[in-house]
Amino acid sequence: MNYFLSLPRFYKRLIGVLSDALFISVAFVGAFYIRLGDLTLYYNIQYVYLLLLLIISTLLLFVRVGLYRAVLRYLSLHALLTIIFSCIISAGFLIISGYFTHAFVPRTIPIIYVSFLIFLCGGARLLVRVSSTTKQNNRKIRTLIYGAGDAGRQLLYLLRQGSEFHPVAFIDDNKNFHNTVVNGLTVHNKKSLASLITRKRIDKMLLAIPSASRIERKMIIESLVELPIEVLSIPNFKDLLNGSATVDQLHDVPIEDLLGRDPVASKSALLGANINDKVVMVTGAGGSIGSELCRKILLQNPTVLILFELSECSLYQIDKELCGMVISQQLNVEIVPLLGSVQNQHLLERVLKSFKVQTLYHAAAYKHVPLVEYNVVEGIRNNIFGTYYTALACIAAKVESFVLISTDKAVRPTNVMGTTKRMAELSLQSLAAEEHDTRFCMVRFGNVLGSSGSVIPLFKQQIKKGDHVTITHPDMIRYFMTIPEAASLVIQAGSMGKGGDVFVLDMGKPVRIVDLATNLIKLSGLQIKSKQNPLGDIEIKFTGLRPGEKLFEELLIGNNVTPCDHEGIMRANESYLPYAEYKQILKSLDEACTQFDHKSIREILISVPAGFNPTNEIEDLVWKADQ
């Protein structure tokens, strides 16, 4: 079989022609023998002519219908139907040829002949197909498909054409499917999974349930976590329908499925209120949140979208992507990429006035807790003064709306980063109480999945290396939200701002980080290595809390919240400082930063009503080097 499959195409076709000629002869002789009981009629030259005519006409028919162009290892149902149809026509040739050669052909001969020919021609080809497929399947990864619906059947078809996976069975929760056969595979009940995996030697499971809700997928995934197989998923059903993804693009189970939280629905009126037909600017446009904000804003048809970014590389990437979106979706939006720092108030004013910006989203910030602990002065300059200077520039340029992207780490902070973000909120709250034309608001939320430096990509990288996964503390919990959902809610919250509002997003229930890591390891088909299981694959190591890190985060300073026009957004009513008092604090903080006086910096941050309660000593690397 290996030798035959490796032959050049010409020789394969030649073998096919000769084999079919032999099959036609055998079917012809067999039909007469079955009908008449002897072969003495072949001494008559008429039957020899009849056989030759039949071979030539049938082979020409096979050539005409493309039977020799078909690749046997991929023989389809259509090809088998073509063979049957061609054999029936060949039987017609037998009747016609008998008439012209004056040979005696009993009426039952064509029926017996066509049965033999279908069996020989179709069976031989089917045998090659089965042998080839069996050989390929032995090299493939044995796989279960979870979901016997449309997506599951499409996935089955594509996997059978590929060279990596060998599907052996379906699993489905629908009782109507149980013990039925779909496209040649038996559909099993989920209760028999454990024994099925052992019996069928399954290595992977592919989830073909793209239309299920997040909550449903979470329940399914949780039931699979303890099984000794790797679990993969197919793209979202919406992406399959619009053509942006194909069913064979398999990937790890999305982490949002492990959270089991369906995204909050958007309200189109709120999305476009501050954007449609307006000039919009995003600071930190190349970051995780900033870039997603830009994508969402672009779809709301602003007249101009200004990308303000300090990193040249990040600005180039987001500018290229957005310009591609404008062309592909035929949008009438001007993209303006600008390099600059939010600490440069003069530049900000010039930009805002020159382009007549109406709405500004301030996403520029240093957000990594340990890095800001090690670089205190730059963290303060960028997060506190950068926000303050941007706000003053907006007031000078008479920008209509200013929306600050804040964080849950601003609530009762134990680190410098969280304190700088709370100070940024205080600056906008104090400015909002003054007389001017700019409406300030801020949106506070927790961790976003997949952002730069987030824990999930780190876990996946560590699992891929196969050594160990590092977690700071077994009791650490965090709120999580996808980047697109966070960006969408930020835009909607900004349109509801009246002045000095602190909006808090509904983040759902907090998640234990160790549970996320455990599920990721198990869904990769690996086992946790521990004292109880020393032969496991991946060990979870606890490294201890990093400087300034908290075990859990909060979203509210108090309990005084009011509902908004959107069910996924709340308005927090929190105290703030008068602007004159806040300016004096900034002046003292500026002087301390200029002198690199970290003791004074810490005293000022503690004295400010930001709730700063440091859990570690001063960690600034320059200051420690001086010491």
Side-chain angles (χ1 to χ4, degrees):
M1 181 60 66
N2 289 336
Y3 176 75
F4 174 75
L5 292 175
S6 63
L7 287 173
R9 176 73 60 195
F10 173 78
Y11 292 112
K12 288 179 183 177
R13 288 176 177 172
L14 182 60
I15 292 171
V17 170
L18 295 175
S19 298
D20 286 338
L22 177 62
F23 295 152
I24 295 167
S25 302
V26 172
F28 180 84
V29 173
F32 276 94
Y33 182 77
I34 292 293
R35 174 65 180 80
L36 301 176
D38 66 70
L39 298 176
T40 55
L41 60 89
Y42 288 106
Y43 295 116
N44 192 332
I45 194 66
Q46 292 173 322
Y47 289 97
V48 176
Y49 289 152
L50 175 59
L51 178 57
L52 290 174
L53 272 174
L54 186 60
I55 291 173
I56 294 169
S57 58
T58 303
L59 291 178
L60 288 174
L61 174 65
F62 284 0
V63 171
R64 182 69 183 85
V65 298
L67 206 57
Y68 300 116
R69 293 198 302 270
V71 180
L72 294 184
R73 73 181 74 182
Y74 302 124
L75 193 69
S76 64
L77 178 62
H78 173 74
L80 289 175
L81 291 175
T82 302
I83 292 171
I84 294 171
F85 181 69
S86 301
C87 291
I88 293 171
I89 295 176
S90 178
F93 289 158
L94 173 58
I95 297 170
I96 296 169
S97 300
Y99 175 78
F100 283 107
T101 59
H102 304 288
F104 172 64
V105 180
R107 285 175 293 181
T108 54
I109 289 292
I111 298 172
I112 302 171
Y113 165 78
V114 77
S115 302
F116 274 145
L117 192 58
I118 290 172
F119 175 76
L120 292 169
C121 289
R125 285 168 169 80
L126 198 58
L127 181 62
V128 173
R129 157 85 191 263
V130 170
S131 301
S132 173
T133 303
T134 303
K135 183 176 180 295
Q136 287 181 339
N137 289 342
N138 290 335
R139 297 196 302 263
K140 292 182 180 180
I141 300 170
R142 298 177 66 81
T143 305
L144 275 176
I145 298 177
Y146 197 113
D150 291 337
R153 291 193 292 272
Q154 290 181 59
L155 180 61
L156 172 63
Y157 173 76
L158 288 165
L159 295 180
R160 282 175 169 171
Q161 306 307 312
S163 59
E164 186 175 358
F165 298 100
H166 170 41
V168 297
F170 278 114
I171 296 291
D172 203 284
D173 294 325
N174 189 338
K175 293 180 181 179
N176 296 327
F177 281 146
H178 294 166
N179 297 319
T180 61
V181 177
V182 176
N183 289 6
L185 293 188
T186 304
V187 182
H188 295 270
N189 190 333
K190 188 167 64 176
K191 294 178 181 178
S192 62
L193 252 178
S195 62
L196 189 65
I197 290 169
T198 304
R199 192 170 70 253
K200 297 282 188 178
R201 295 174 284 115
I202 309 297
D203 298 309
K204 292 182 187 290
M205 178 177 290
L206 309 182
L207 298 181
I209 47 173
S211 58
S213 68
R214 287 257 177 86
I215 295 173
E216 291 171 332
R217 289 202 293 269
K218 181 176 185 287
M219 293 174 63
I220 291 170
I221 291 166
E222 284 179 344
S223 69
L224 305 176
V225 162
E226 298 301 328
L227 297 174
I229 55 172
E230 183 179 1
V231 181
L232 299 173
S233 181
I234 65 173
N236 185 277
F237 198 58
K238 196 177 291 183
D239 296 331
L240 294 174
L241 289 177
N242 62 30
S244 61
T246 58
V247 74
D248 60 333
Q249 290 176 335
L250 303 173
H251 49 74
D252 292 338
V253 172
I255 195 67
E256 50 265 35
D257 286 355
L258 295 179
L259 302 180
R261 178 180 175 279
D262 285 317
V264 180
S266 299
K267 296 187 177 182
S268 55
L270 293 176
L271 279 172
N274 273 357
I275 298 171
N276 189 258
D277 290 330
K278 293 190 176 186
V279 179
V280 182
M281 176 167 153
V282 178
T283 66
S288 302
I289 291 293
S291 59
E292 187 61 30
L293 276 172
C294 292
R295 296 182 193 103
K296 298 287 186 189
I297 290 167
L298 193 63
L299 298 177
Q300 299 304 316
N301 296 307
T303 55
V304 181
L305 176 56
I306 300 169
L307 316 176
F308 195 82
E309 173 60 55
L310 181 62
S311 167
E312 179 188 29
C313 178
S314 298
L315 182 61
Y316 169 77
Q317 290 175 343
I318 189 62
D319 176 48
K320 184 179 179 182
E321 179 186 341
L322 296 181
C323 287
M325 286 178 63
V326 168
I327 294 170
S328 64
Q329 301 189 33
Q330 298 180 335
L331 301 173
N332 187 25
V333 182
E334 181 186 356
I335 306 295
V336 180
L338 296 178
L339 282 169
S341 169
V342 291
Q343 298 180 47
N344 189 337
Q345 184 181 343
H346 177 70
L347 172 62
L348 286 166
E349 279 187 30
R350 188 64 182 266
V351 169
L352 295 171
K353 289 178 180 178
S354 298
F355 290 96
K356 297 180 174 58
V357 173
Q358 295 164 279
T359 302
L360 183 138
Y361 294 92
H362 185 59
Y366 293 142
K367 63 177 183 178
H368 298 292
V369 170
L371 282 179
V372 175
E373 289 294 314
Y374 299 146
N375 300 272
V376 172
V377 172
E378 278 307 303
I380 290 172
R381 290 288 186 198
N382 195 66
N383 293 1
I384 299 178
F385 288 97
T387 302
Y388 179 61
Y389 294 149
T390 306
L392 292 180
C394 285
I395 292 172
K398 297 185 178 181
V399 172
E400 295 172 8
S401 299
F402 180 111
V403 183
L404 169 69
I405 314 302
S406 191
T407 171
D408 56 356
K409 293 176 178 62
V411 177
R412 284 180 274 275
T414 58
N415 52 70
V416 175
M417 194 284 286
T419 308
T420 61
K421 293 300 287 183
R422 179 56 188 146
M423 287 282 287
E425 291 179 355
L426 287 171
S427 67
L428 298 191
Q429 288 176 300
S430 62
L431 284 170
E434 301 295 302
E435 290 293 328
H436 49 72
D437 299 322
T438 303
R439 185 176 74 250
F440 293 105
C441 69
M442 49 232 85
V443 185
R444 189 187 291 160
F445 55 90
N447 294 36
V448 288
L449 296 169
S451 64
S452 59
S454 67
V455 71
I456 305 303
L458 176 61
F459 284 166
K460 290 185 176 181
Q461 186 180 14
Q462 290 174 333
I463 291 170
K464 191 174 182 180
K465 287 182 178 178
D467 185 15
H468 62 267
V469 167
T470 57
I471 301 175
T472 54
H473 196 281
D475 297 327
M476 179 170 285
I477 61 173
R478 288 291 183 269
Y479 290 99
F480 284 101
M481 178 180 282
T482 65
I483 295 177
E485 184 184 3
S488 178
L489 289 174
V490 164
I491 293 172
Q492 294 173 83
S495 66
M496 295 187 291
K498 298 175 181 177
D501 309 84
V502 177
F503 292 106
V504 179
L505 304 186
D506 178 11
M507 301 290 295
K509 295 180 180 179
V511 179
R512 291 180 74 234
I513 301 299
V514 70
D515 290 342
L516 276 182
T518 300
N519 288 341
L520 282 172
I521 292 170
K522 290 182 176 179
L523 289 172
S524 299
L526 304 172
Q527 294 184 357
I528 307 292
K529 186 177 181 180
S530 61
K531 291 180 179 178
Q532 295 76 24
N533 185 22
L535 299 178
D537 304 293
I538 302 284
E539 182 182 3
I540 295 179
K541 290 185 177 180
F542 297 103
T543 58
L545 292 175
R546 296 175 296 179
E549 199 168 39
K550 296 168 71 174
L551 278 179
F552 61 93
E553 302 290 357
E554 304 167 90
L555 288 168
L556 296 171
I557 294 175
N559 295 317
N560 191 10
V561 295
T562 55
C564 298
D565 294 338
H566 195 295
E567 62 276 9
I569 304 170
M570 299 175 289
R571 181 183 279 106
N573 300 306
E574 298 175 353
S575 59
Y576 61 93
L577 292 170
Y579 181 52
E581 186 178 339
Y582 186 78
K583 273 206 308 185
Q584 189 58 47
I585 292 171
L586 285 186
K587 183 180 178 182
S588 301
L589 191 58
D590 182 32
E591 292 174 357
C593 287
T594 302
Q595 299 297 323
F596 284 90
D597 186 351
H598 283 273
K599 289 185 177 180
S600 296
I601 290 172
R602 173 157 288 203
E603 289 172 3
I604 294 168
L605 293 180
I606 292 174
S607 66
V608 174
F612 181 35
N613 183 24
T615 56
N616 52 275
E617 299 298 322
I618 299 171
E619 299 290 342
D620 186 272
L621 298 179
V622 176
W623 184 82
K624 289 178 78 171
D626 287 339
Q627 300 306 303

